């Protein structure tokens, strides 16, 4: 670099005093100003050339590009591994109970004999869920009553009865009853119902499976809290008996929220019976986000209260919940 020379500054100062109505005369005075001079640059010429050559070297540029691509690929792999470790925050893992929510079919009932088994997997099947708040036993009784009510009467005097005509009447009556039975089965079937009917049946199923009026028979409750040494040891107070099925426990609420979340997730992915699906359904996207975060809060509360007990393990295994459903931040 060329040496730096001191600069000069030209100033204009007034010559004499100002008079009213006359412009002051200005004189140009050269005032040299001293400034530190650097006769040469501190940067070495060799270093500057090396940096310039390295910046323009295609081999070095290719190596830097390869390192960048490798780092980005590694970051993507790590993100996928973390997401796989946490699991899907919306659906979780598919289990038989979760699959039964799509078609509102019954799930395995709780065991009746708690002395032989502590798991609900060895029990019998529940009655199938029907629409309009009906049960299979009620439908069967109604069909039997209808069959007996519409049955052709039998004449007391058998001498004046034509056996062929009587057999024909019985055959027609049986055929009509079979047609009516098939029609009633299609009407009360949840497969022909709408999403609201299936959700109602799923809510009732969640209450039956996770309600403490049933789970207390085969699940051990959590251990009591630690009592301080200063307080006297006294038995815990007796609980007030429930007036009906349990609908307010955390596990029941989590199961109901899971059923509603699955319905919205299927709709937004285009599996709800519509061709276009719910890609542009912002209203239901917001509802899904609210339900997922509400379930996350409920799971955190239950995990803190149960301290990883049998109720927590039963809930997680039955619903297929992963760590992503309650741990960390959920962004949809």
């Amino acid at each position: 670099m060329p040496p730096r020379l001191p600069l000069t500054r030209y100033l204009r100062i007034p010559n004499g005093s100002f008079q009213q109505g006359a412009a002051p005369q200005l004189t140009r005075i050269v005032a040299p100003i001293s400034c530190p001079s650097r006769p040469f640059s501190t940067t070495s010429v060799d270093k500057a050339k090396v940096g310039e050559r390295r910046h323009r070297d295609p081999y070095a540029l290719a190596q830097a590009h390869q390192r960048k691509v490798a780092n980005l690929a590694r970051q993507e792999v790590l993100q996928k591994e973390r997401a796989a470790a946490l699991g899907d925050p919306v659906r979780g893992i598919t289990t038989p109970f979760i699959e039964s929510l799509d078609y509102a079919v019954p799930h395995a009932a709780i065991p009746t004999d708690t002395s032989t088994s502590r798991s609900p997997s060895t029990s019998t099947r529940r009655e199938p869920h029907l629409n309009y708040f009906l049960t299979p036993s009620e439908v069967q009784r109604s069909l039997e009553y209808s069959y007996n009510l519409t049955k052709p009467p039998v004449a007391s005097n058998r001498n004046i009865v034509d056996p062929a005509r009587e057999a024909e009447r019985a055959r027609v009556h049986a055929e009509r009853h079979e047609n009516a039975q098939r029609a009633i089965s299609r009407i009360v079937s949840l497969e022909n119902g709408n999403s609201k009917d299936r959700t109602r049946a799923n809510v009732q199923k969640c209450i039956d499976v996770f309600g403490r009026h049933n789970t207390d028979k085969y699940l051990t409750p959590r251990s009591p809290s630690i009592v301080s040494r200063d307080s006297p040891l006294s038995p815990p107070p007796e609980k007030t008996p429930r007036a009906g099925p349990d609908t307010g426990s955390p596990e029941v609420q989590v199961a109901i929220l899971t059923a509603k979340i699955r319905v919205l997730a299927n709709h937004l992915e285009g599996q709800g019976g519509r061709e276009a699906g719910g890609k542009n359904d912002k209203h239901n996207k917001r509802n899904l986000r609210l339900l997922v975060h509400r379930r996350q809060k409920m799971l955190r509360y239950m995990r803190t209260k149960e301290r990883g007990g049998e109720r927590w393990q039963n809930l997680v295994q039955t619903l297929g919940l992963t760590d992503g459903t309650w741990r960390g931040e959920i962004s949809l």
Side-chain angles (χ1 to χ4, degrees):
M1 294 179 61
R4 297 185 179 181
L5 302 177
L7 303 177
T8 58
R9 182 179 300 177
Y10 296 90
L11 301 176
R12 290 184 178 183
I13 58 176
N15 184 12
S17 60
F18 292 98
Q19 297 181 2
Q20 186 176 3
Q25 298 179 1
L26 301 178
T27 305
R28 180 174 297 178
I29 299 177
V30 177
I33 300 176
S34 62
C35 62
S37 61
R38 299 177 62 184
F40 56 90
S41 176
T42 57
T43 305
S44 175
V45 179
D46 297 336
K47 291 184 178 180
K49 291 183 178 180
V50 170
E52 184 178 358
R53 184 170 61 252
R54 184 182 303 169
H55 180 69
R56 296 181 180 179
D57 188 5
Y59 181 73
L61 292 177
Q63 283 186 335
H65 180 69
Q66 289 180 357
R67 288 194 298 268
K68 182 178 180 180
V69 171
N71 291 335
L72 293 178
R74 181 58 180 169
Q75 290 179 8
E76 185 177 358
V77 170
L78 291 177
Q79 290 178 0
K80 290 182 179 179
E81 290 180 356
R82 295 191 191 101
L86 290 177
D88 189 1
V90 177
R91 293 185 176 273
I93 303 174
T94 303
T95 60
F97 181 82
I98 293 298
E99 290 179 350
S100 66
L101 295 177
D102 294 338
Y103 307 100
V105 297
H107 188 62
I110 60 173
T112 55
D113 187 6
T114 57
S115 60
T116 58
S117 175
R118 297 182 60 83
S119 174
S121 59
T122 59
S123 58
T124 58
R125 302 289 294 180
R126 292 181 184 270
E127 292 184 347
H129 298 287
L130 300 178
N131 205 352
Y132 306 108
F133 300 93
L134 295 174
T135 60
S137 57
E138 294 176 350
V139 175
Q140 186 64 26
R141 287 197 302 268
S142 300
L143 289 175
E144 291 178 358
Y145 178 77
S146 174
Y147 179 81
N148 296 328
L149 187 64
T150 58
K151 188 176 181 180
V154 179
S156 58
N157 189 2
R158 305 299 300 174
N159 296 327
I160 60 175
V161 174
D162 187 2
R165 295 183 61 184
E166 188 176 13
E168 181 66 18
R169 290 178 182 177
R171 186 188 63 80
V172 172
H173 175 261
E175 184 178 353
R176 290 179 178 178
H177 181 73
E178 289 180 0
N179 294 336
Q181 189 173 2
R182 286 194 296 268
I184 291 296
S185 63
R186 288 194 298 267
I187 291 173
V188 301
S189 176
L190 279 175
E191 295 180 357
N192 300 325
N194 54 16
S195 177
K196 185 180 294 186
D197 296 332
R198 287 191 291 271
T199 301
R200 176 193 56 78
N202 289 332
V203 168
Q204 185 61 38
K205 177 167 49 178
C206 293
I207 294 174
D208 295 339
V209 174
F210 295 99
R212 295 190 180 181
H213 61 285
N214 290 329
T215 57
D216 286 343
K217 301 176 183 178
Y218 62 92
L219 291 180
T220 305
R222 65 182 179 90
S223 58
S225 303
I226 300 176
V227 183
S228 61
R229 297 181 179 179
D230 299 335
S231 62
L233 297 177
S234 58
E238 296 182 358
K239 295 183 179 180
T240 305
R242 293 187 180 90
D246 178 23
T247 59
S249 297
E251 52 266 34
V252 176
Q253 296 298 319
V254 168
I256 293 175
L257 289 175
T258 302
K260 295 180 179 180
I261 287 171
R262 190 167 181 84
V263 172
L264 286 179
N266 291 340
H267 167 68
L268 293 176
E269 290 182 2
Q271 300 177 5
R274 300 181 181 179
E275 296 180 358
K279 296 181 180 179
N280 299 325
D281 195 349
K282 298 182 180 180
H283 177 70
N284 281 328
K285 283 183 180 179
R286 180 179 180 274
N287 292 337
L288 178 64
R289 193 181 301 111
L290 292 176
L291 292 178
V292 168
H293 286 88
R294 189 184 305 173
R295 183 180 65 176
Q296 182 188 25
K297 295 179 181 178
M298 195 71 68
L299 285 172
R300 288 180 178 177
Y301 167 78
M302 184 178 177
R303 185 173 181 272
T304 304
K305 296 291 290 184
E306 294 296 331
R307 298 189 288 272
E310 290 190 12
R311 286 176 180 169
W312 170 261
Q313 298 296 334
N314 177 58
L315 178 69
V316 170
Q317 294 175 4
T318 306
L319 295 180
L321 301 177
T322 59
D323 292 344
T325 56
W326 59 271
R327 179 179 295 176
E329 181 180 357
I330 299 177
S331 58
L332 302 178

